[in-house]
Structure formats: C-alpha cells, structure tokens
Amino acid sequence: MTHPRPVACVGLVVWKDNEVLLIRRGRPPMEGAWSIPGGKIEFGENTQEAGLRELAEETGVEARIETLLGVYEAIAPDSHYVLIDFTAEWVSGDPEPGDDASEAEFVPLDEALSRLSWDKTRTAVQDSFHARAASIQPKSKGN
C-alpha cells in the first residue's frame, strides 16, 4: 500500500517599508482566504527560485530574499504540506493579482494579522516582523 507523501511548498513574507504583502487565494485550498505569496516547489527548482517564481506569478512583484524564516507544517487527514518560508524585501512592482491570487496588496502589520485566518501564516508573519526588528536595532556597546 502506498501512502501519499508530504508536499513541499515555499512562501515569502515580503516587506515594503513597514507593510507586508498579502494575497487572497483564488483557488483551493483555502480559496478566499488571505495568505502570503507562495506555492508548490517544482521538480529541479530550489526553494528560493520557487519562492521568487511564485511571487512573480501571483503578484507581479520582485523581491530580494533576506533569510530563511522557518519551516511550518500543515497536517490534515487528507493532506500534508511542508511550508518553507522566507523573509524578503520588496525590490519593484506594484501588486497585481495573477495565477491563483484574486487580490494582492501591501498592508500594515496589524491589518495583515487580522486578515490572516490560518495560525501558521500569522506566526510566520509575526516571526518575520520580529526578526526584521531585531536586525535593525542598533547594537549597544558594552561598558
């Protein structure tokens, strides 16, 4: 008996100044829900290439990946997704929905967190915010 295997996916938490890029999913799974850009990794594609491709397909935005944010899992009776998320910085482009996104826009953090219905995505966005805040804090000199 063969069992289904987990599906490897990638997501990008893209920041433009203090706003984060969200998409509204236009297809299942989670059709109509707000999320971050991302999707399945294609065979032969590395995670960063996949993330940037999905970002371009879903929003028309270009970004620079800054760091690996984390690995999150979504396990349900009929599915198992391994989500590899990165923090990225906007480079160019105005969000225009494409591929499987019905809407795409930059929104302030508080609004993003209220729109996101899935706790794993909310955690990824919060983790990204805290990582960015820690990296831009001035380092104090020891006495």
Side-chain angles (χ1 to χ4, degrees):
M1 175 181 199
T2 24
H3 296 282
R5 296 184 182 269
V7 178
C9 298
V10 63
L12 295 183
V13 180
V14 179
W15 294 93
K16 180 179 181 185
D17 299 319
N18 291 318
E19 294 187 325
V20 65
L21 180 60
L22 295 185
I23 60 150
R24 186 186 293 265
R25 298 191 53 82
R27 290 190 238 165
M30 300 181 70
E31 182 175 2
W34 287 97
S35 189
I36 59 174
K40 294 177 186 171
I41 301 168
E42 295 179 358
F43 185 81
E45 188 176 47
N46 73 42
T47 54
Q48 292 187 14
E49 291 168 345
L52 294 173
R53 175 188 49 77
E54 286 286 345
L55 175 65
E57 289 174 0
E58 292 180 348
T59 69
V61 166
E62 291 183 32
R64 179 184 70 257
I65 292 178
E66 295 182 333
T67 187
L68 174 65
L69 181 57
V71 177
Y72 307 86
E73 289 190 78
I75 302 173
D78 60 343
S79 63
H80 181 175
Y81 294 96
V82 178
L83 310 160
I84 304 157
D85 289 346
F86 292 91
T87 294
E89 190 67 30
W90 173 87
V91 172
S92 67
D94 293 322
E96 292 290 332
D99 194 29
D100 64 350
S102 63
E103 294 180 57
E105 62 184 307
F106 282 100
V107 297
L109 176 63
D110 289 344
E111 185 175 339
L113 294 175
S114 71
R115 286 187 190 186
L116 295 168
S117 57
W118 194 48
D119 64 333
K120 304 269 184 182
T121 306
R122 212 173 13 261
T123 298
V125 170
Q126 289 172 320
D127 289 350
S128 178
F129 173 78
H130 293 302
R132 288 179 80 236
S135 72
I136 59 175
Q137 293 296 322
K139 307 268 190 239
S140 61
K141 295 183 180 185
N143 296 334

